[in-house]
Amino acid sequence: MDRPNFFEFFMSRLSDVISQTVTHLQITGLAVFLAVLIGVPIGIYITRNKVVARNVLGVANILQTLPSLALFGLMIPLMGIGFNLAVFVLFLYALLPIIKNTYTGIVGVDDSMIESGRGMGMTNAQLLRMVQIPLALPVIMAGIRIATVINIGTATIAALIGAGGLGSFIFRGISMGNNNLILTGAIPAAILALVVDWILGLIEYRITPKGVRK
Amino acid sequence: MIEFKKLSKSYDGKTNVVDRLDMTINDGELVVLIGESGCGKTTTMKMINRLIEPTGGEILIDGKNIMEMNPIQLRRNIGYVIQKVGLMPHMSVGDNIELVAYLKNWDKQKRRARSRELLKLVNLDPDQYIDRYPNELSGGQQQRVGVARALAVNPDIILMDEPFSAVDPMTRETLQEELIKLQSEVKKTIVFVTHDMDEALKLGDKIAVMQGGKIIQYDSPEKILKEPVNDFVEYFVGKDRLWKSPEMLYARDIMQKRPAVVLEHRTPAYALEVMRKRDTDFLVVVDAPYDQPQKMLGVVTPKELKGKGMVENNRMIDIMRKDYPTVTERTSMVNVLNIMKQEGLNYIPVIEEGSNLLTGLITHGSIVNIITDALVDSEVGKEAL
Ligand SMILES: Nc1ncnc2c1ncn2[C@@H]1O[C@H](COP(=O)(O)OP(=O)(O)OP(=O)(O)O)[C@@H](O)[C@H]1O
Ligand SMILES: [Mg+2]
């Protein structure tokens, strides 16, 4: 077929690819950003109460298991189609890994740290700020990384609801039977996921406190 | 001064894991809480800095009820060292030590100066260690930093929960010695929890032996060793323990309490009869019978009774040896043994300090008995393991 000229095909659409990549990143970036904003405090909050924790994590789990297409479909009547809807749905997907990792990270801080912190006269807020969050940070960051990478993949589907992004090449390619077009969306999406994963990995390492780096 | 008044704690509302404790810990004393696992040592200690709230009774510090104090302020003024050290792994040694000072808003320079000073105090070179992270230290070094941290803002009271139990025995001994030295310099009021009787005897000014949430005995190490109030304490101390600290043994601990005696006016024949009956060849000549205070006048042995000694009319008072060496109840065992060896004695009477009243007699036999007891006990102990 037209595989031999994929490179030319791709280069001819480079500016298009770039602008869709930007849109793609905007959707995922904004979704993850909001998920961090909401999810980290929730994750911290639920460490104070086991029952609440179980319920919140349960709900977030269910959200995660809904097929993304179904979720988009369900939300269209509420939010209309487009960018906002895409961000919202991806936000819901990012929430679970972030809440869960925040929760696990904080709960996983060694009891003896908490005890000695309290014993030295830290208030709850100081304990959180000076002990629990710094020590949980690598785990929280790992959650953000997972959420982001998953979302870069899922965001391709957002094209279906008119939000744009690299998925638009893929779905147009599918409907037109144009493999070059499919690859023009798929390959950058895959590379994007890898690169973002790598960058977030670096950040994760950098924010891991020196004394606890492996 | 820390006072417990009917201090109780129950987790389930039914059983008291700490049960109506009454106890006073004086300023500058190192008090050891010791007892078997689960007897309530940690719970008792954590009530002092309100990490655990009592369900009954109260704790007073310098006369003030701690429940009326702000718990955060209270804790900042009480040093705290735990078994797992609890150094913050993401903070440098210096930052760890300075943590409480930071919480109390000391300025940075003052904090740094203080942590350098404290590192020196616990025998760590500040230049080398202040910027290290806890995972770059050995267990013993970490525990030293833990102690330094507890001293950071110079609190009057320090709580230590099995601080040395996670390090190897050699390091533990070093740390114990360092603590003794440190305490002689800083004179804090220290509450120290341990499982280890050797540690308790070594460090404690006083030891509180706990069982089932109660204090069974609260005494000086010496008293705990020598006068355990019941079988539990005795078992817990271990009978052979005394022998590991011979400097704590005195004449009164090894003497026989009712030595064979003879009254001053008795005849040689009578003395011989007593010797035969009591199966001994050494009698202390005294001025009164057993039921009264007996002043020691001298001693008789077969040597004095021989020859002219056997003359019918002689009385003990005439033939006894008068210049026989004696020791007092508080002569240490080591000295007793030295005197006996130097003078070539098989027997040495023990008299009350400042008077001539006879209180006992040390014989080779009584020493051998005690040694045998100790050895047999520790052998039995080993087999029981
Ligand atoms: N948070 C808790 N909830 C319920 N029970 C507890 C709690 N903490 C301690 N206990 C119980 O209270 C009793 C005393 O515990 P504590 O920790 O004071 O013992 P301990 O003497 O320090 O023992 P160890 O030598 O093992 O440290 C134990 O029976 C323990 O199981
Ligand atoms: Mg304990």
Side-chain angles (χ1 to χ4, degrees), chain B residues 138-368:
Chain B
S138 72
Q141 290 168 337
Q142 290 184 24
Q143 204 48 275
R144 288 195 186 107
V145 175
V147 172
R149 183 174 64 178
L151 290 167
V153 297
N154 206 13
D156 297 326
I157 298 173
I158 297 175
L159 310 179
M160 305 178 112
D161 194 352
E162 307 200 29
F164 306 146
S165 60
V167 295
D168 64 274
M170 291 267 284
T171 313
R172 187 180 316 149
E173 284 206 9
T174 316
L175 290 171
Q176 288 166 349
E177 252 128 53
E178 286 178 6
L179 180 67
I180 293 171
K181 186 162 159 284
L182 191 71
Q183 169 67 349
S184 72
E185 289 164 27
V186 297
K187 285 273 171 245
K188 301 293 180 190
T189 307
I190 301 180
V191 182
F192 189 106
V193 168
T194 183
H195 272 108
D196 176 355
M197 194 38 113
D198 287 321
E199 185 166 74
L201 292 169
K202 198 162 166 188
L203 299 178
D205 293 314
K206 281 202 194 131
I207 298 175
V209 181
M210 293 183 66
Q211 183 187 24
K214 288 191 158 69
I215 291 177
I216 306 296
Q217 186 169 6
Y218 180 39
D219 260 325
S220 68
E222 199 193 319
K223 274 245 170 115
I224 298 265
L225 273 177
K226 294 178 187 166
E227 296 162 34
V229 294
N230 64 15
D231 288 350
F232 175 76
V233 178
E234 185 169 337
Y235 157 79
F236 203 74
V237 171
K239 275 192 189 141
D240 59 327
R241 185 83 51 179
L242 213 45
W243 285 92
K244 291 184 188 156
S245 10
E247 68 282 358
M248 281 192 185
L249 278 174
Y250 299 103
R252 62 159 186 260
D253 301 315
I254 47 177
M255 69 190 187
Q256 296 173 6
K257 292 218 171 73
R258 280 190 162 236
V261 294
V262 62
L263 289 171
E264 54 187 315
H265 56 82
R266 296 296 189 192
T267 61
Y270 187 88
L272 274 178
E273 184 59 24
V274 177
M275 283 185 182
R276 202 172 56 236
K277 261 197 191 148
R278 298 285 304 255
D279 193 20
T280 178
D281 53 5
F282 186 91
L283 298 179
V284 183
V285 181
V286 293
D287 64 346
Y290 276 123
D291 48 3
Q292 291 163 34
Q294 299 172 309
K295 196 172 266 179
M296 170 176 160
L297 305 169
V299 303
V300 290
T301 65
K303 197 173 128 206
E304 279 80 37
L305 297 177
K306 248 190 278 164
K308 70 165 179 152
M310 282 313 285
V311 175
E312 187 76 31
N313 283 340
N314 272 348
R315 302 296 167 188
M316 289 301 114
I317 192 89
D318 306 317
I319 59 167
M320 69 186 184
R321 186 175 158 190
K322 291 189 179 116
D323 56 352
Y324 199 83
T326 58
V327 292
T328 70
E329 289 181 289
R330 289 199 58 91
T331 309
S332 81
M333 190 189 75
V334 178
N335 285 342
V336 171
L337 292 177
N338 275 338
I339 294 168
M340 290 176 81
K341 195 170 151 217
Q342 268 167 23
E343 311 264 334
L345 307 175
N346 291 331
Y347 301 90
I348 193 161
V350 182
I351 55 173
E352 208 178 81
E353 210 156 353
S355 75
N356 249 353
L357 292 182
L358 181 71
T359 56
L361 179 72
I362 294 172
T363 70
H364 273 170
S366 57
I367 293 171
V368 170

Side-chain angles (χ1 to χ4, degrees), chain B residues 76-92:
Chain B
R76 288 178 188 172
N77 292 313
I78 295 181
Y80 189 44
V81 186
I82 59 177
Q83 177 183 358
K84 290 181 169 167
V85 197
L87 293 183
M88 303 298 169
H90 57 299
M91 297 182 189
S92 68

Side-chain angles (χ1 to χ4, degrees), chain B residues 366-380:
Chain B
S366 57
I367 293 171
V368 170
N369 277 345
I370 288 191
I371 294 174
T372 332
D373 273 1
L375 290 180
V376 169
D377 269 1
S378 63
E379 283 308 307
V380 170

